[in-house]
């Protein structure tokens, strides 16, 4: 009785295997006819019994599944990712077939990715470069280009994920670059070593050479930091910026990013120190002097603020915001005197002190007006807010005739 059960079971397994082989052949035939939907349907019949299939047929299954999902380049991004995963499940018994399909897929993705990037379709380019990386993990350059494409697409979450992976892998991007000068155009062209040697031999190019490209590690760390900044993740951003600055200490973008982070954290002392560091590198950058002035004004360091705004105006004479803020330093300093003026009594000593403070306040307001007048002399058609601030000063000092004169100019400019 036991023998009959064993025989029956054996016959059942044999029939089962026969059905699996039949579906695999059907899938293979459908793929050859470019009928990928039919191939998927046949493979779906095999999927539930995959655990019982022989290893050689299991590899065949995964290979056919990869072909069906890839669909000769027509598969969706999701299907293509599954196809890549399926290929990784094929054992060495089909090493040649896998290499051939991988080569076809790789060339197709590379062509598509380059076309997508060149045409400005950065979302597609990022996906296609990532697929290339998933297919050939050893070539981390593809992941780098996927990150770059994601940045262009403003998909910072994807870019950050890729940059962190690259950083963890120690990716440098350092390569040997071969080049030669096109004799007809006079332009240097980068190419493979084989093509360079061929063109030089054909005398269409000359001045052959090679060079080692710069490491991309500092760039990657910088981009990680800048993305964290854009996401308001201050602690992560500061840690990344410090690491990036160790690699590239004189990078002005990193210095300014770190300064802005400290400004967000209301650490004006560190902000100012970093801005001074930036100014040492770019002493003729008016925006750097202006930003130093803004923080000094906020801290009521009026002399430092004025000096910074005046320097910005020397470098950029039409810098309206700098002129307005230079004027504001005098107004704010004058307004600082009001509290003491209001606290004084009616004694002769207090009256004398009041007159002294009032004269100083008026003098400061006059200097605030003079700063704007000097700006208008150099910029005859200023922004309306320049006129408006001047009107406000004249109204505060009781110079109504001057106020009306400037108001007329403001009305005419509208």
């Amino acid at each position: 009785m036991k023998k009959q059960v064993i025989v029956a079971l054996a016959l059942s397994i044999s029939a089962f295997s026969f059905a699996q082989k039949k579906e695999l052949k059907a899938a293979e035939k459908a793929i050859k006819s470019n009928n990928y939907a039919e191939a998927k349907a046949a493979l779906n019949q095999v999927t539930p019994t995959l655990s019982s299939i022989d290893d050689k047929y299991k590899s065949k299954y995964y290979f056919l599944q990869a072909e069906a999902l890839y669909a000769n380049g027509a598969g969706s991004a999701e299907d293509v990712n599954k196809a890549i995963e399926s290929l990784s499940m094929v054992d060495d018994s089909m090493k040649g077939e896998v290499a051939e399909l991988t080569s076809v897929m790789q060339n197709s993705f590379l062509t598509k990715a380059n076309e997508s990037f060149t045409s400005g379709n950065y979302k597609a380019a990022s996906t296609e470069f990532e697929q290339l990386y998933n297919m050939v993990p050893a070539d981390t350059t593809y992941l780098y280009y996927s990150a770059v494409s994601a940045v262009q697409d403003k998909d910072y979450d994807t870019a950050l994920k890729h940059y962190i992976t690259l950083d963890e892998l120690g990716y440098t991007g350092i390569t040997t670059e071969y080049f030669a000068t096109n004799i007809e155009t006079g332009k240097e062209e980068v190419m493979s070593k084989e093509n360079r040697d061929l063109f030089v031999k054909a005398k269409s190019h000359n001045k052959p050479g090679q060079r080692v490209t710069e490491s991309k590690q500092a760039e990657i760390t910088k981009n990680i930091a800048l993305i964290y900044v854009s996401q308001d993740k201050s602690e992560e951003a500061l840690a990344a910026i410090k690491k990036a600055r160790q690699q590239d200490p004189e990078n002005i973008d990193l210095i300014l990013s770190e300064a802005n982070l400290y400004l967000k954290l209301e650490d004006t002392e560190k902000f100012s120190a970093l801005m001074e560091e930036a100014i040492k590198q770019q002493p003729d950058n008016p925006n750097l002097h202006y930003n130093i002035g803004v923080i000094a004004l906020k801290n009521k360091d009026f002399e430092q603020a004025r000096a910074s705004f005046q320097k910005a105006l020397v470098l950029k004479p039409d810098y309206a915001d700098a002129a307005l803020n230079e004027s504001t330093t005098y107004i704010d300093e004058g307004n600082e005197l009001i509290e003491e003026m209001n606290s004084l009594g009616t004694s002769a000593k207090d009256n004398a002190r009041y007159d002294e403070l009032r004269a100083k306040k008026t003098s400061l307001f006059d200097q605030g007006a003079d700063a704007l007048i000097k700006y208008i002399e150099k910029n005859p058609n200023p922004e309306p807010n320049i006129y408006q601030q001047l009107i406000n000063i004249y109204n505060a000092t009781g110079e109504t005739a001057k106020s009306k004169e400037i108001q007329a100019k403001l009305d005419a400019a509208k």
Side-chain angles (χ1 to χ4, degrees):
M1 190 67 180
K2 290 181 180 179
K3 288 184 180 179
Q4 287 179 343
V5 172
I6 292 170
V7 170
L9 185 60
L11 287 172
S12 176
I13 292 173
S14 176
F16 213 39
S17 299
F18 177 78
Q20 291 169 330
K21 293 175 191 176
K22 183 180 176 182
E23 297 298 344
L24 290 177
K25 284 184 179 180
E28 189 170 20
K29 184 178 178 181
I31 288 168
K32 287 179 180 178
S33 301
N34 296 322
N35 193 337
Y36 301 107
E38 187 179 316
K40 289 178 188 176
L43 291 168
N44 286 339
Q45 297 296 315
V46 179
T47 304
T49 63
L50 198 58
S51 60
S52 65
I53 198 171
D54 290 344
D55 286 344
K56 66 175 182 178
Y57 292 117
K58 194 176 289 186
S59 282
K60 185 75 171 178
Y61 165 85
Y62 284 120
F63 180 76
L64 292 173
Q65 186 179 60
E67 284 190 306
L69 290 166
Y70 174 60
N72 200 26
S76 66
E78 185 181 354
D79 279 353
V80 168
N81 288 334
K82 289 178 181 177
I84 294 169
E85 187 179 347
S86 292
L87 274 181
S88 68
M89 305 292 285
V90 182
D91 64 25
D92 288 344
S93 66
M94 300 188 70
K95 192 174 182 180
E97 292 91 331
V98 169
E100 185 178 347
L101 180 57
T102 299
S103 178
V104 169
M105 292 173 69
Q106 190 174 349
N107 290 335
S108 174
F109 292 154
L110 186 55
T111 300
K112 284 183 178 180
N114 286 331
E115 288 175 351
S116 296
F117 190 90
T118 303
S119 66
N121 188 353
Y122 301 115
K123 185 177 184 65
S126 179
T127 298
E128 287 151 0
F129 279 124
E130 184 178 4
Q131 288 172 337
L132 273 165
Y133 169 70
N134 290 335
M135 184 171 293
V136 193
D139 198 338
T140 43
T141 300
Y142 293 138
L143 189 62
Y144 170 78
Y145 286 128
S146 179
V148 170
S149 301
V151 168
Q152 292 294 323
D153 187 45
K154 295 183 172 53
D155 181 1
Y156 298 121
D157 288 337
T158 296
L160 180 62
K161 180 183 71 173
H162 292 342
Y163 280 133
I164 289 174
T165 299
L166 289 164
D167 187 49
E168 290 172 348
L169 291 171
Y171 172 77
T172 65
I174 296 174
T175 60
T176 300
E177 203 170 68
Y178 300 93
F179 59 89
T181 300
N182 187 312
I183 294 172
E184 185 178 341
T185 65
K187 293 182 179 179
E188 183 180 279
E189 296 176 353
V190 176
M191 61 196 78
S192 67
K193 182 180 184 301
E194 292 76 13
N195 284 343
R196 182 203 63 180
D197 294 344
L198 194 63
F199 289 147
V200 170
K201 189 175 181 180
K203 297 185 178 179
S204 64
H205 291 65
N206 60 11
K207 300 178 184 176
Q210 67 184 63
R211 57 189 164 229
V212 175
T213 61
E214 292 184 5
S215 172
K216 291 182 170 62
Q217 278 186 316
E219 175 201 330
I220 289 168
T221 314
K222 178 192 78 173
N223 287 344
I224 290 172
L226 295 179
I227 292 172
Y228 277 136
V229 169
S230 73
Q231 295 177 338
D232 290 326
K233 295 179 179 177
S234 300
E235 290 186 14
E236 295 92 332
L238 277 174
I241 284 174
K242 289 183 186 300
K243 180 178 178 181
R245 290 203 62 200
Q246 288 174 353
Q247 298 169 343
D248 192 2
E250 295 185 358
N251 188 303
I252 191 73
D253 290 335
L254 289 174
I255 295 172
L256 294 176
S257 295
E258 187 176 4
N260 286 330
L261 265 176
Y262 280 117
L263 182 59
K264 283 183 180 180
L265 297 171
E266 298 184 354
D267 190 336
T268 56
E269 186 177 337
K270 285 186 177 178
F271 170 84
S272 297
L274 285 161
M275 292 302 291
E276 291 291 354
E277 186 179 342
I279 285 173
K280 286 179 183 178
Q281 288 194 41
Q282 294 186 359
D284 296 333
N285 186 329
N287 294 325
L288 297 181
H289 293 281
Y290 174 82
N291 286 327
I292 287 283
V294 168
I295 295 304
L297 178 58
K298 184 178 179 181
N299 291 334
K300 298 182 180 181
D301 186 348
F302 301 117
E303 288 189 14
Q304 171 65 61
R306 273 194 285 276
S308 295
F309 293 134
Q310 288 165 0
K311 180 63 176 176
L313 283 163
V314 168
L315 295 168
K316 187 181 177 183
D318 63 346
Y319 206 153
D321 286 341
L324 279 169
N325 278 336
E326 181 192 356
S327 172
T328 300
T329 64
Y330 292 108
I331 296 168
D332 285 1
E333 188 174 358
N335 286 332
E336 286 286 302
L337 305 175
I338 293 175
E339 184 176 352
E340 184 182 350
M341 291 170 68
N342 290 336
S343 69
L344 295 169
T346 57
S347 68
K349 183 179 178 182
D350 283 348
N351 287 338
R353 177 60 178 166
Y354 182 90
D355 290 341
E356 179 188 343
L357 291 172
R358 182 175 63 181
K360 185 176 180 181
K361 176 176 173 288
T362 300
S363 173
L364 285 165
F365 274 42
D366 287 342
Q367 290 178 76
D370 289 342
L372 296 177
I373 290 168
K374 287 178 184 177
Y375 178 82
I376 293 171
E377 287 173 353
K378 294 178 182 178
N379 303 277
N381 298 302
E383 291 80 349
N385 49 7
I386 295 286
Y387 280 140
Q388 189 60 61
Q389 180 145 317
L390 195 50
I391 291 167
N392 294 340
I393 293 172
Y394 286 143
N395 286 336
T397 56
E399 298 177 87
T400 54
K402 288 183 178 180
S403 174
K404 288 179 180 178
E405 180 185 346
I406 300 301
Q407 184 65 57
K409 290 183 179 180
L410 176 60
D411 293 338
K414 289 181 180 178

